[in-house]
Amino acid sequence: MPRPLGELEDAVMTRVWQWNRPVTVREVLEDLQQERSIAYTTVMTVMDNLHQKGWVRREAEGRAYRYTAVSTRAAYSAALMNEAWSTSDNPAAALVAFFGMMSAEQREALRDAIRIVGHDGEAAPPAADAEADSAEHGPEPGR
C-alpha cells in the first residue's frame, strides 16, 4: 500500500499524471512557479524522492532526467481507498458512510463501475453483461 503523497509530492505527481508523458524537472518547475515560489533544487529533490519511492521511473537525457509515472492516479486513489477501508474495524459501516458522502454523479459512477466489474468480481465487457441479462431474464421487449 502506498503511503499518501505529501502536498508537494502530490502537486508534482498531478502534473506527471495529467501530462501523461515523460517530463523534466524544469517543465514541472515552470508549471509550479505559476502557483508558488519554488526552487529548482526543491523540485529536483521531490522528483528524486518520488523515484526512490517507486512512483516514477526516470531515463537520462543528456545531463537531465525525464520522469514517467509508474501507475495512474486512479490506481493510487484506489489503493488509498482500499487501505482506508481494510483498516476499518467495521468495513460495512465504513462503506455505508462513504457512499453517504458521495454526490449523485459519484453514485452513478459507482453504479457504472459495478456493472463493468460484474457480480463475480471479474471484469466483464458491457456486451457480455447484456447477453447474461438476456439469458437470465429472457430477451428485452421488442427483440
Side-chain angles (χ1 to χ4, degrees), residues 32-125:
L32 285 170
Q33 284 179 331
Q34 295 178 23
E35 300 171 0
R36 64 177 93 190
S37 176
I38 190 165
Y40 180 92
T41 53
T42 301
V43 177
M44 183 176 65
T45 299
V46 169
M47 293 185 82
D48 184 60
N49 289 343
L50 289 166
H51 175 256
Q52 297 300 321
K53 293 176 180 181
W55 286 105
V56 294
R57 70 178 59 91
R58 67 184 180 194
E59 291 187 25
E61 183 176 282
R63 293 179 37 192
Y65 288 108
R66 287 215 172 256
Y67 294 84
T68 308
V70 170
S71 67
T72 64
R73 178 149 208 134
Y76 167 69
S77 297
L80 290 178
M81 289 187 291
N82 187 57
E83 176 69 11
W85 179 59
S86 65
T87 59
S88 171
D89 60 346
N90 187 339
L95 281 175
V96 169
F98 179 65
F99 296 155
M101 294 177 196
M102 292 177 144
S103 68
E105 294 82 18
Q106 290 169 322
R107 285 191 301 276
E108 184 59 32
L110 176 63
R111 281 189 282 277
D112 290 344
I114 290 170
R115 279 192 291 272
I116 290 167
V117 171
H119 299 289
D120 59 3
E122 292 184 21

